[in-house]
Amino acid sequence: MQQTPTKRSQVREDHGDKDVTYRFKVLLPNGMSVGLQLQNPEHKMPLGDFIQMLKREHHLALRESSSRKRKREIDWNAGGLFLEDANDREIKDVVNFKNFKAHECHILKLHDGNVPERVITFENMWDLTPVTDLLRELPQEYTSETALADLIDNSLQAVWANDRRHKKLISVDVADKVMSIFDTGPGMDGSDENSIVKWGKMGASLHRSFKDQAIGGTPPYLTPFFGMFGYGGPIASMQLGRHALISSKTKDSRKVYTLHLDREALLSRSNSNSNWKTAGGMRDPLEEEMIRTPHGSFTKVEIYKPKSKLDIDQLRCKLKDIYFPYIQCDEESKAGKIWKTVTPVNFEVNGVDLAEIAGGEIATTNLHSSNGPDFVLQLHFFCKKNSMSQSPDSKTDIKANACLKCVYFPIVKGKENIERILESLESEGCSTSEKFETYSRVSIRRLGRLLPDARWALLPFMEFKQKKGDRAHLLKRCCLRVKCFIETDAGFNPTPSKNDLAHHGPFTAALRNFGNQPLENENDIKIEISRDGKHLNLAQLKREYENWILQMHEQYDDEADCGEDQPVVVVSPINKKALHMSSEVARVHKSLKRRGIAWKRGQKIKLLKGACAGVHKNNVYATIEYFLLEGLEGDSGGQAQMFCRPLSNPEAKGCILSISDGDTSLDVGGSLPVPVSVIDTGMCVAVRSTEWDNQLEKQRQKSPSTIDLLDAEQCQELDIDGALPVDAQTGKDPPEAIVAIVRPASYDSSCISKNLDQKHIARTNLQMSMKVKFSSDAEGLQRVHDISVSVAPKSLKGFQGLYIFPLKSKYPDLFQNAGIYTFSFLLDESECKAIEKKVLIKEARKVEYKQIHSTFTKEKVLWPQDSSDSSKVVYLQDESNGKCVDKKVLIKEARKVEYKQIQSTPPKENVLRSQDSSHPPKVEKLQVLVKRAKVEYNESQVPLSPGKVLPLQDSSSLQKGGNFLVSEMQVPKVECEELSPFPLLLQDPSSLQQVENLQRKENDIKRIGLRIGDLEKQLVELNEDKEILELEISHLQACYQLSSSDYSSKKEELRNHIERMSHTAASTVSTLSRVPLQEPDNDFMGGMIGLVALLGRVRNIKLSRILSEYLGEDQMLAVVCKSFTAACALEKYHRSGEVDSRHALHAEAAKLERSIESRFLVICLEDLRPYTGDFDGTDPQRKLFLPDPALPSGDTPSGFLGYAVNLVDLDDEHLHTVTTEGHNLRQTLFYALFGELHVYRTRKQMFNARACIKQAAVSLDGGILKQTGIASLGYGNPKICFPILVNVAEVLEEIAANEEAKSEVVAAMEEIAKDREIVLKKLRKKLKKQQKLITKTGEEFQKKMSGSVGITDDL
């Protein structure tokens, strides 16, 4: 732009000696526009000088123009050149700056007198360069309807600023080629404060500063200051079509200012560094426009070439739902008693006033609600400290208000009104995938505008999960008939699409958790509760809400009109609780009609899993017996119950209806009470005879058939010393316990392994009785040992259905008498066959013993007098504790060896030599002094502990002959090993001392050798740790380098790689999801969330690779959908069952010139069983609270890094994606994929932790344990891996920690190496000393041997 030289001028003096700038946007006759900026000019400037500056700017603009359109020449030398301002005033000869405001932009038009055609559009007229970076990928929920609502929000904000005299109109017109939104707001022009540029410039909303004004007030808080949120006019208009024209006029301006938007320009310059200018112009207003706005201001947005065709009727219903309070609402009169319906804003769609149409969810819902009273609460949210506030003066984030209105939708004539609502919406073409059970019980508006995706389940205070009993059962059923309509003010922030409340907002979290104890991150939030002006605490609120529900039930509910047969009336039954009755009168029917279908007594049905209480884990097959309807015919508020007898119960245990002396009673027996509403919800279905017969056969196969006793090996599996003996001698201890089990009818003992298997053990809740009868020929012993006991089934070591009868602890003297013990086992209340087991106890052989002398401490030795047997049993009687306890010792006769006494040196010692020449003279060192020449030693195998002393005997009698020491569990044999290096052990004291010294030194050498081995082992282990740390540091440094690259770019690389897999469904899904501005023709994209690989991220490469390899490419590329319905929408089929490639995802693939040539996985979130435990409340990622695994010692295994489900972070875009039940992706998707998968640092650590791995485990170095007993070996190279988002601070901290650990390891290695050298030196010294001692001892031995020739000859 041209700037005049800065100089002191009269203009500057007039402005207090400050610099003054005048800005102009000049529209040229050839359709171009240029800008001029003049600083401190004189008051007046000749027009010729002004034209010369325009000419220079024009030549520069021509050079920089990217337009290929040829421009006509401007006659710069024409004598008729003049300028025209926005008010059509002509400027000739002189430009007087006094007519223009300084520091503002003024629009002028140049005329050269040569106008072949009228120009109304000018290039680069408006500078729309964004002031903030709002251009990013749009979420999937930003649909055409959402974009249209974004534009209507702008119009609603505009018309709300009109005063009462001016018309407030918003008109939407939809045609095939153009769509327009017209409003009668204040309009825009070319001035700085009211420039049309702000409409097209993202982040420049005029209403951002008004948010604080929208906090507080009266519900429904109709102050539509939405401007701070949403994607803005340019994005919204380009979402709807390829071109847009914005026309606007203020009340005071004579011209209509226009702005042109083009989608291609938006996409090519969609970042804050680009200078994005677009075309615009000025024109006269049209007559039609002025008719629609009597006060003269308006804004019109026209969208050309719409990308999708909108259904007009559905559009009217949706817009009425979104803006219902602005279309019509009840307003209290000034008198304060009379309410009247007013129309704050006139909304029109294709000329039809939305206040006059009857459709829409809101209108339909209101039609089927009860007549009240509604349960209304006012909530005031406060932040206790100003930590959340962006600025000290901001009130936006420190308080908020919400109004909760709970409305009751009763059941009428046996049909839920909520079901009627869903049916009405379906007939209007506004159907949803919801049904009665999944119907959203919470609807939210912010500033009167509906948030369409805020369809929450019941708030915590509206549920009765913890309550028990009949009243609780009724409350749980009735609470599903309540819907809560929430009105919030501007204190609550919405998502950018304005479809839901921002999940990360503290007030949103507090509202969603309202009724529970505050979460840890909600401690700073305080909520004040009031109802009808009275303040309540949480307990009072729950009590009043409970009473209100019961009041609504009594007043409006009509669960069943009447049965099909003549009823039997039951009055004040004594078993009201068992019958689930709350009233005093009920009617019993044998037949009932629901939804046009008759249900009768004796009919076979199937109750689906989760249908009601008592039907949680599996489907239940049953027979209908009776229907019980509370109250008399025509009464409201009564419940309707259906009593069904489960297949497993015999007919005798079913319901019994009896009449005695005019009194009617209904005994439930073993039947199951079920709400009749399960029929309406489809959770109760009729069963055909074939299916019933199949279930009967399955039931028979599982039913108890026979009783079996576990043998000793099977008891050992349970760590029980069990099993009955077949026979035994008296005095035998009974087994620790007897374990009985019940075999199912399907059990075949001939082909079954003897190992325990749960499928061959029937699970029952019946008791088993055991009786023991004793019979004997001896007199006076009949039935003295009879026993009778009953036990219930138990679980042990993972096995269920075990009947454990303890014997030894309760009946220790059971087998003291000889006779027959008959054990009989019977399963109570069952047709299972009883069994009997007999145990024969024989009288033990009597042997007389005599006492012999012994040196046993506190023990006596009894020797049997019967010498006929070479094997003797010695009884050791221990009387140390006052009781005589016999210990048996088996003594075997050994070969007798005679020894003679020889003289040894020194005297006083005797050497025994064998006279048997067939055996070499091996001598044992004894701790005895032998007094006789000939003594016989018995070699005895005696199971005694070390240190016990036995008497020595000769061959003639049991005389005391000396003692010897038992060094092991048996008495030493006569032979002994020679002591190396010298064969002779009995030497003089000095020689013995030398041998002992030699042995001691040899032990020292062995001890030093072991020490060296330990040190070398430690060095090896430390070196392995050092290598692991070095690898970890290298890996972390690579992660740090990776952190410098943008996570978005890594995710983009993964997307590109997936899209190059052109013959897969994942390629098509990824391509479709990355085109946010394109509205798909098919409806399957709405229920699709994305691909597994793109929904999470991890923090390092190794973790990404191993988790991706564990899942496999099929699961990594699985398509994740919200529901099974959404999954089914991905494909259509021919009647033959083949895939119809002309529709759904296959059709979109064809448009992209791709094909889907293989199967692909689809994951339905709603059908996954979610994690229902606790969370880490401090983590925004809502990680699951899973206890660390524990080894049998109780310690956490070394190297455990965590559970895989918590090591994957949810992508920011899907951090708050939840199911209709409120479960996020971690609870559903990743918990289903990973479960409780362990992650360890190394394979070695993972293998060491096998004892505590319940499901599976992986290690960062590539180890995979799939499940117990299955390991995945080898090496994988996954191509599809989770994107990586590195936390730089964490990586640097971990690198520092590993470097420190490495330094400690190196220091420890150096220290151990020094110790090793020291010990090696000590070893060398010891070896030298030992060698010297051996040499010396050998020499002395030779000398002594030469002096003992006589003895040597004898030997």
Side-chain angles (χ1 to χ4, degrees), residues 678-695:
V678 298
I679 297 176
D680 306 327
T681 59
M683 300 298 283
C684 172
V685 294
V687 175
R688 295 182 179 179
S689 59
T690 53
E691 183 179 359
W692 183 264
D693 293 341
N694 289 337
Q695 290 301 317

Side-chain angles (χ1 to χ4, degrees), residues 443-460:
S443 173
I444 303 177
R445 293 183 180 273
R446 179 181 179 272
L447 300 178
R449 182 199 191 274
L450 180 69
L451 305 178
D453 290 347
R455 304 180 72 87
W456 297 356
L458 293 171
L459 296 178

Side-chain angles (χ1 to χ4, degrees), residues 685-928:
V685 294
V687 175
R688 295 182 179 179
S689 59
T690 53
E691 183 179 359
W692 183 264
D693 293 341
N694 289 337
Q695 290 301 317
L696 278 176
E697 178 60 22
K698 289 181 181 179
Q699 184 70 26
R700 189 194 68 78
Q701 292 288 336
K702 294 179 181 179
S703 63
S705 176
T706 58
I707 299 174
D708 198 0
L709 300 183
L710 300 188
D711 58 26
E713 292 182 3
Q714 292 169 332
C715 288
Q716 195 63 37
E717 288 188 53
L718 303 173
D719 292 340
I720 294 177
D721 178 17
L724 283 172
V726 177
D727 55 28
Q729 291 185 349
T730 54
K732 178 179 175 61
D733 291 335
E736 179 185 335
I738 301 174
V739 183
I741 58 174
V742 178
R743 299 293 190 184
S746 58
Y747 176 74
D748 183 1
S749 59
S750 62
C751 58
I752 301 297
S753 169
K754 286 193 174 183
N755 293 332
L756 289 178
D757 192 336
Q758 183 64 64
K759 67 181 179 181
H760 302 311
I761 303 175
R763 303 175 188 177
T764 71
N765 56 1
L766 303 176
Q767 288 204 336
M768 183 182 291
S769 59
M770 178 187 75
K771 294 182 179 180
V772 182
K773 291 187 177 182
F774 172 74
S775 60
S776 173
D777 295 336
E779 297 181 359
L781 296 180
Q782 289 289 342
R783 291 184 297 279
V784 294
H785 295 284
D786 287 1
I787 297 171
S788 180
V789 63
S790 293
V791 297
K794 296 181 179 179
S795 297
L796 185 64
K797 298 288 185 180
F799 295 99
Q800 299 178 355
L802 305 177
Y803 293 89
I804 303 175
F805 297 92
L807 282 187
K808 188 173 183 179
S809 60
K810 288 191 174 183
Y811 314 104
D813 301 328
L814 182 63
F815 296 146
Q816 293 301 314
N817 294 305
I820 298 175
Y821 294 78
T822 303
F823 291 77
S824 59
F825 299 85
L826 176 66
L827 189 65
D828 299 346
E829 300 180 6
S830 171
E831 298 178 358
C832 184
K833 297 178 182 178
I835 64 165
E836 287 187 353
K837 294 288 183 180
K838 294 186 178 182
V839 178
L840 175 61
I841 300 299
K842 302 176 183 178
E843 190 72 34
R845 182 171 63 90
K846 295 183 179 180
V847 180
E848 293 184 359
Y849 296 89
K850 67 178 181 179
Q851 181 175 347
I852 64 174
H853 180 77
S854 171
T855 58
F856 281 92
T857 304
K858 298 182 181 180
E859 292 183 345
K860 296 178 181 178
V861 180
L862 302 182
W863 185 265
Q865 293 183 356
D866 183 5
S867 59
S868 61
D869 190 356
S870 62
S871 296
K872 305 292 190 296
V873 177
V874 178
Y875 281 83
L876 306 181
Q877 292 187 341
D878 185 0
E879 298 179 345
S880 60
N881 56 358
K883 296 181 180 179
C884 181
V885 180
D886 290 345
K887 300 178 182 178
K888 298 178 183 178
V889 180
L890 178 63
I891 306 296
K892 293 185 178 180
E893 191 73 19
R895 180 176 61 86
K896 296 181 179 179
V897 182
E898 293 185 354
Y899 291 86
K900 69 178 181 179
Q901 183 174 3
I902 62 174
Q903 185 64 36
S904 173
T905 303
K908 300 181 182 179
E909 292 186 352
N910 298 288
V911 177
L912 303 181
R913 179 178 179 182
S914 173
Q915 292 182 349
D916 186 357
S917 60
S918 63
H919 291 79
K922 293 185 179 179
V923 184
E924 181 173 11
K925 180 181 178 182
L926 304 176
Q927 283 187 329
V928 305

Side-chain angles (χ1 to χ4, degrees), residues 194-215:
N194 199 29
S195 174
I196 195 173
V197 169
K198 293 183 178 181
W199 190 97
K201 197 169 187 178
M202 286 164 287
S205 170
L206 298 174
H207 295 274
R208 287 175 176 260
S209 60
F210 296 149
K211 181 184 175 184
D212 289 354
Q213 301 177 22
I215 298 178

Side-chain angles (χ1 to χ4, degrees), residues 411-480:
I411 181 172
V412 179
K413 295 185 177 180
K415 185 170 184 177
E416 300 284 353
N417 268 3
I418 289 179
E419 292 183 344
R420 291 187 171 93
I421 292 172
L422 295 173
E423 290 173 0
S424 297
L425 292 176
E426 186 173 4
S427 64
E428 295 172 5
C430 303
S431 61
T432 66
S433 59
E434 296 175 337
K435 52 186 179 181
F436 177 78
E437 293 77 14
T438 60
Y439 182 67
S440 60
R441 264 63 182 196
V442 175
S443 173
I444 303 177
R445 293 183 180 273
R446 179 181 179 272
L447 300 178
R449 182 199 191 274
L450 180 69
L451 305 178
D453 290 347
R455 304 180 72 87
W456 297 356
L458 293 171
L459 296 178
F461 86 92
M462 301 169 65
E463 296 183 284
F464 301 95
K465 289 182 178 179
Q466 305 303 323
K467 289 184 173 290
K468 296 181 179 180
D470 290 340
R471 180 184 174 98
H473 184 74
L474 174 62
L475 288 170
K476 289 175 184 178
R477 192 165 72 252
C478 292
C479 73
L480 297 177

